[in-house]
């Protein structure tokens, strides 16, 4: 039996924010937790399903993999991307309901800062950059240097937040854990909420002499140069990840990533659909009638193409291998094709001599350019009926 889509499980759209995911999961957790649904045999399965969906979608890296590859991204990884349900305690009693609310809701219900924080290493935040590139850069790839503003580790205190010659001290309120527990009696029973320590604000450390350049945060705001490598064949809306180029992490944790969203400028001559390039080329009546060698613009420059005689307006010709390369060089960098549509241009003004020559041509082909009223009426009758 195929797995249900995680977004469908939580009842949220694919563009849901972190807050949307959290609200949807809280609602389902309250509804299906086995400790409050002892008479519903399906509650535990639905609860696990919701917990698994939230575990994946609330993690930025796992969500990216899921959006790209679906459930197959986590096959063989212990299910749910390595999510361990044992963290919730025993279902059906033994403090299960306290464990679930302690883990997911306790820190989000108030206390210092309103969110649960950890005194351990904390990965840096991911950043977003919107970048516009040309049609040709998207086709053949490009390397660009961009400027971004990000939080970097303070050079003065090396991220400790303490002034030179001093160091952070362990918080006496929480014993360095950064958390305090508050017990409450609710309709669900006795709940233990874990909240950030109000004294150290969840850090587990107290800085009595903060570093002046960073104000004790351990980070400073700087403008950095980052190299973005755009592979050949990208399309409009492609997202690139530059690993480790986001905000600096806390307490020795790695930096976040930079996500670059690409927009491709429209081209004056070309349009594209996937790997196929389209363009329109004007030709004269003489060229269409007699055939001719014409110059056609391509992404590689101009090339000569033979128009056969008797070419009709709107005819499309194919130039093999003149399209967009396959993304990431797959299949040996195989390129798509270019489709060239010819547009026969009718001259708007002719000299008397040119007109006379066209009349001679009409007479030679038996074409009546001034049909009599009677003959024209007969044509209309044949086309549309009496």
């Amino acid at each position: 039996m195929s797995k249900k889509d995680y977004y469908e499980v939580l009842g949220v759209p694919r563009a849901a924010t972190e807050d949307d995911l959290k609200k949807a999961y809280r609602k389902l957790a309250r509804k299906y937790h086995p400790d409050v649904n002892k008479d519903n045999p399906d509650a535990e399965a639905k609860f696990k399903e919701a917990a698994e969906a939230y575990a994946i979608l609330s993690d930025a890296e796992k969500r990216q993999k899921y959006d790209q590859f679906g459930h197959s991204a986590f096959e063989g990884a212990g299910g749910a991307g390595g999510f361990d349900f044992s963290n919730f305690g025993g279902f059906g009693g033994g403090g299960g309901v306290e464990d679930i609310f302690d883990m997911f809701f306790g820190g989000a219900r108030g206390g210092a800062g309103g969110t649960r924080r950890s005194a351990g290493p904390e990965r840096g935040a991911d950043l977003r950059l919107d970048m516009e590139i040309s049609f040709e850069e998207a086709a053949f790839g490009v390397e660009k240097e961009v400027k971004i503003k990000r939080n970097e580790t303070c050079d003065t205190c090396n991220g400790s937040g303490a002034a030179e010659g001093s160091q952070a001290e362990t918080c006496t309120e929480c014993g360095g854990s950064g958390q305090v527990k508050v017990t409450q009696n609710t309709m669900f029973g006795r709940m233990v909420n874990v909240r950030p320590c109000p004294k150290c604000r969840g850090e587990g450390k107290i800085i009595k002499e903060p570093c002046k350049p960073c104000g004790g945060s351990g980070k400073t705001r700087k403008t950095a140069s980052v190299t973005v490598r755009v592979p050949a064949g990208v399309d409009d809306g492609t997202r690139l990840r530059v690993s480790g180029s986001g905000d600096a992490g806390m307490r020795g944790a790695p930096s976040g990533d930079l996500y670059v969203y690409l927009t491709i400028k429209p081209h004056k001559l070309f349009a594209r659909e996937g790997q196929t390039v389209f363009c329109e080329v004007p030709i004269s009546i003489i060229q269409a009638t007699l055939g001719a060698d014409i110059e056609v613009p391509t992404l590689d420059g101009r090339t000569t193409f033979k128009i056969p005689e008797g070419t009709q307006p709107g005819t499309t010709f194919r130039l093999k291998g003149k399209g967009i390369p396959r993304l990431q060089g797959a299949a040996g960098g195989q390129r798509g094709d270019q489709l060239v549509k010819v547009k026969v241009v009718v001259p708007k003004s002719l000299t008397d001599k040119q007109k006379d020559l066209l009349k001679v041509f009409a007479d030679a082909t038996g074409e009546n350019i001034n049909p009599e009223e009677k003959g024209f009426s007969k044509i209309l009758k044949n086309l549309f009926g009496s």
Side-chain angles (χ1 to χ4, degrees):
M1 181 177 178
S2 60
K3 272 193 169 186
K4 196 174 180 181
D5 181 79
Y6 285 146
Y7 291 98
E8 186 179 345
V9 169
L10 295 180
V12 296
R14 302 192 79 83
T17 64
E18 291 183 12
D19 286 340
D20 294 335
L21 294 172
K22 188 179 293 183
K23 289 176 183 177
Y25 176 69
R26 287 180 180 179
K27 183 178 178 180
L28 292 173
R30 292 189 181 100
K31 182 177 180 180
Y32 292 116
H33 194 280
D35 284 358
V36 292
N37 287 274
K38 298 182 184 297
D39 297 329
N40 184 357
D42 298 327
E44 181 173 335
K46 289 183 178 293
F47 177 80
K48 285 186 176 181
E49 185 179 49
E52 179 177 327
Y54 180 75
I56 295 298
L57 299 183
S58 62
D59 183 297
E61 186 173 348
K62 290 178 182 178
R63 183 176 182 178
Q64 179 193 352
K65 291 180 181 178
Y66 179 74
D67 287 344
Q68 186 173 3
F69 302 107
H71 293 296
S72 61
F74 306 105
E75 290 178 358
F83 184 67
D84 184 4
F85 289 101
S86 64
N87 289 334
F88 291 95
F91 290 123
V97 72
E98 287 135 335
D99 289 339
I100 181 65
F101 280 98
D102 177 33
M103 178 170 289
F104 283 96
F105 309 142
R109 291 192 168 195
T115 57
R116 179 177 178 178
R117 301 172 65 183
S118 170
E122 183 179 336
R123 182 179 178 273
D126 293 332
L127 301 179
R128 170 174 178 150
L129 173 70
D130 295 297
M131 187 168 72
E132 189 177 55
I133 60 176
S134 70
F135 195 93
E136 290 84 357
E137 289 172 338
F140 299 117
V142 68
E143 187 173 293
K144 287 181 174 287
E145 289 288 329
V146 297
K147 301 287 186 182
I148 62 170
K149 289 186 176 181
R150 66 186 182 190
N151 292 327
E152 297 188 357
T153 301
C154 176
D155 295 329
T156 303
C157 65
N158 293 321
S160 70
E164 188 175 0
S166 67
Q167 60 182 10
E169 300 177 1
T170 300
C171 176
T172 56
E173 183 76 16
C174 63
S177 68
Q179 301 168 351
V180 292
K181 291 186 177 182
V182 178
T183 302
Q184 292 178 308
N185 293 320
T186 72
M187 61 181 291
F188 296 104
R190 198 162 126 311
M191 292 199 316
V192 178
N193 290 337
V194 178
R195 299 176 179 175
C197 174
K199 186 174 182 179
C200 66
R201 298 182 180 182
E203 296 294 335
K205 299 285 185 180
I206 298 293
I207 299 175
K208 293 185 176 181
E209 296 182 42
C211 171
K212 290 184 179 180
C214 67
S217 68
K219 295 180 181 180
T220 53
R221 194 74 171 168
K222 292 184 179 180
T223 299
S225 294
V226 176
T227 301
V228 178
R229 294 177 177 85
V230 180
V234 295
D235 209 339
D236 198 69
T238 296
R239 185 181 74 169
L240 305 176
R241 181 170 72 104
V242 185
S243 180
S245 292
D247 281 345
M250 296 289 289
R251 295 173 291 277
S255 298
D257 299 327
L258 172 66
Y259 288 94
V260 182
Y261 290 78
L262 301 178
T263 300
I264 301 175
K265 298 177 186 176
H267 199 279
K268 293 180 180 179
L269 298 177
F270 304 119
R272 69 177 281 189
E273 184 175 328
Q275 290 181 259
T276 304
V277 171
F278 302 87
C279 76
E280 189 175 69
V281 176
I283 61 174
S284 69
I285 292 178
I286 304 301
Q287 290 173 318
T289 304
L290 303 180
D293 290 332
I294 65 170
E295 280 194 337
V296 176
T298 72
L299 291 173
D300 302 303
R302 291 184 174 273
T303 187
T304 302
F305 184 78
K306 185 174 183 61
I307 298 292
E309 63 180 55
T311 294
Q312 300 299 306
T315 300
T316 299
F317 298 96
R318 183 181 297 271
L319 300 181
K320 286 282 190 181
K322 292 296 183 180
I324 304 294
R326 192 180 298 273
L327 184 61
Q328 296 180 343
Q334 180 182 0
R335 291 177 63 175
D337 301 330
Q338 179 174 330
L339 299 183
V340 180
K341 183 178 181 180
V342 294
K343 178 182 180 181
V344 179
V345 179
V346 179
K348 293 182 178 181
S349 60
L350 296 173
T351 64
D352 290 339
K353 183 178 180 179
Q354 290 170 332
K355 292 178 182 178
D356 290 338
L357 289 173
L358 285 177
K359 291 176 182 177
V360 172
F361 176 76
D363 291 339
T365 59
E367 182 178 349
N368 187 359
I369 59 175
N370 294 304
E372 296 179 356
E373 182 65 28
K374 184 177 180 180
F376 187 64
S377 299
K378 186 177 181 180
I379 294 173
L380 291 177
K381 183 178 180 180
N382 290 335
L383 286 174
F384 304 110
S386 56

